[in-house]
């Protein structure tokens, strides 16, 4: 009414429209749209109004933006999309809206991260299932080779591990430095996940490029229950890494007395 410029931004590029979307002020968003607000105006780091609304779970605002021409696949400078930030924060409802409006389920960030990967990392079961139903590639990895299954195993998200395995996740897919999902689970002592992986064909003796095995990393970090489980499932107790260190060597070095005794009882070479 009095000539306010609706697209005049802060120095870092945040518009009045962006901040209204970010805070879920739907009525104000509507007023600004009517007054000519640029629905796709990005901040200097590339965040769009729909990115802001999606990250904060404002379903109604996101729907309004989409109806008014918001680009559902706009990426910020790091490659994050509205769907990615919604999945990061576990906003299942808004993720559904974005997918129904053409969000690319497999669009990757600059380091190769997908919406599925971040949902698995954060432990968002419902969002993970939604992405799978909408064609998410369960074996799409970060540039350094970390898969959604790997990160779910690393963080002990057993339900998500099960979902990914059912959907065809490669149980032995290794990172570029040779770490496998069972290696990740073993190093963090997630026994339930380790058992699930073994039941689904995980190679108990898969070595990293340095020669470390799941048993080695479990011994290094003092996870006696995991060590027992791996030994019961045919872990090679005397495999050595590239420097000649065995599981017994690393357990001894780290001072894990109970694991040292367990290894010796199970035939570890003490010479």
């Amino acid at each position: 009414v009095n000539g306010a410029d609706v697209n005049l931004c802060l120095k870092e590029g945040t518009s009045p429209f962006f901040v209204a979307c970010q805070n879920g002020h739907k009525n104000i968003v509507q007023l600004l749209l009517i007054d000519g607000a640029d629905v796709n105006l990005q901040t200097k780091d590339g965040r769009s109004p729909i990115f802001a609304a999606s990250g904060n779970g404002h379903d109604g605002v996101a729907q309004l933006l989409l109806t008014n021409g918001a680009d559902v696949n706009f990426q910020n400078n790091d490659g994050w999309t509205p769907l990615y930030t919604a999945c990061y924060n576990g906003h299942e409802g808004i993720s559904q809206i974005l997918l129904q409006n053409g969000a690319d389920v497999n669009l990757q960030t600059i380091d190769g991260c997908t919406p599925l990967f971040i949902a698995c990392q954060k432990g968002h079961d419902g969002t993970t299932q939604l992405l799978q139903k909408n064609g998410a590639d369960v074996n799409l990895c970060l540039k350094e080779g970390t898969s959604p299954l790997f990160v779910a195993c690393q963080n002990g998200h057993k339900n998500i591990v099960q979902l990914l395995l059912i959907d065809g996740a490669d149980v032995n897919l290794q990172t570029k430095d040779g770490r496998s999902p069972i290696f990740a689970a073993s190093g963090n002592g997630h026994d339930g996940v380790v058992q699930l992986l073994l039941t689904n064909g995980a190679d108990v003796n898969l070595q990293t490029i340095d020669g470390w095995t799941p048993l080695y990393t479990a011994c290094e970090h003092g996870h006696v229950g995991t060590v027992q489980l791996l030994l019961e499932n045919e872990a090679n107790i005397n495999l050595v890494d590239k420097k000649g260190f065995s599981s017994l060597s690393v357990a001894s070095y780290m001072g894990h007395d109970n694991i040292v005794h367990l290894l010796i009882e199970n035939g570890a070479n003490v010479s």
Side-chain angles (χ1 to χ4, degrees):
V1 177
N2 287 286
D5 184 345
V6 296
N7 292 313
L8 202 56
C9 300
L10 301 184
K11 288 183 178 179
E12 42 75 45
T14 302
S15 66
F17 189 60
F18 180 98
V19 79
C21 293
Q22 187 175 48
N23 293 326
H25 302 314
K26 188 178 176 183
N27 290 342
I28 293 176
V29 171
Q30 182 72 70
L31 288 171
L32 293 170
L33 283 168
I34 292 168
D35 203 28
D38 184 344
V39 75
N40 289 314
L41 189 60
Q42 293 173 281
T43 60
K44 288 186 178 177
D45 61 5
R47 291 170 299 140
S48 63
I50 194 167
F51 181 96
S54 299
N56 287 330
H58 301 310
D59 299 21
V61 172
Q63 188 62 69
L64 181 59
L65 294 173
L66 290 164
T67 304
N68 282 273
D71 186 335
V72 74
N73 289 313
F74 248 173
Q75 292 176 280
N76 72 5
N77 296 355
D78 293 317
W80 290 33
T81 61
L83 180 61
Y84 183 95
T85 192
C87 292
Y88 182 99
N89 291 307
H91 298 312
E92 192 177 335
I94 210 157
S95 297
Q96 177 76 65
I97 291 169
L98 295 168
L99 288 165
Q100 288 169 344
N101 283 273
D104 185 341
V105 75
N106 290 314
L107 202 54
Q108 293 172 281
T109 64
I110 57 172
D111 63 358
C113 198
T114 61
L116 179 64
F117 184 98
I118 202 65
C120 293
Q121 184 178 50
K122 296 293 181 179
H124 301 312
D125 297 23
T127 306
T128 296
Q129 285 182 285
L130 176 64
L131 294 168
Q132 288 178 291
K133 289 174 185 173
N134 282 274
D137 184 341
V138 296
N139 291 313
L140 205 53
C141 299
L142 300 186
K143 288 182 178 177
E144 43 76 40
T146 303
S147 67
L149 180 62
F150 182 99
V151 78
C153 292
Q154 187 175 49
N155 292 334
H157 301 313
K158 188 178 177 183
N159 289 343
I160 290 178
V161 171
Q162 180 72 69
L163 290 170
L164 294 171
L165 289 169
I166 291 169
D167 203 27
D170 184 344
V171 74
N172 290 314
L173 190 59
Q174 293 171 278
T175 60
K176 288 186 177 177
D177 62 5
R179 292 170 298 141
S180 63
I182 195 171
F183 182 93
S186 298
N188 286 329
H190 300 309
D191 295 358
V193 173
V194 171
Q195 184 60 70
L196 182 57
L197 294 170
L198 290 165
T199 303
N200 283 272
D203 185 341
V204 74
N205 291 312
L206 210 50
Q207 292 176 281
T208 67
I209 58 171
D210 291 315
W212 303 337
T213 62
L215 180 62
Y216 183 100
T217 191
C219 290
E220 180 183 16
H221 293 103
H223 300 306
V224 64
T226 309
V227 171
Q228 181 69 60
L229 182 57
L230 294 169
L231 290 171
E232 289 169 356
N233 283 273
E234 301 181 2
N236 186 334
I237 203 167
N238 289 316
L239 274 179
V240 295
D241 67 10
K242 284 190 172 180
K243 294 180 178 178
F245 293 114
S246 65
S247 296
L248 180 60
S249 304
V250 74
S252 300
Y253 179 80
M254 298 302 293
H256 300 311
D257 298 0
N258 52 351
I259 291 178
V260 169
H261 289 306
L262 180 60
L263 293 171
I264 292 171
E265 286 171 6
N266 280 273
N269 188 348
V270 296
S271 61

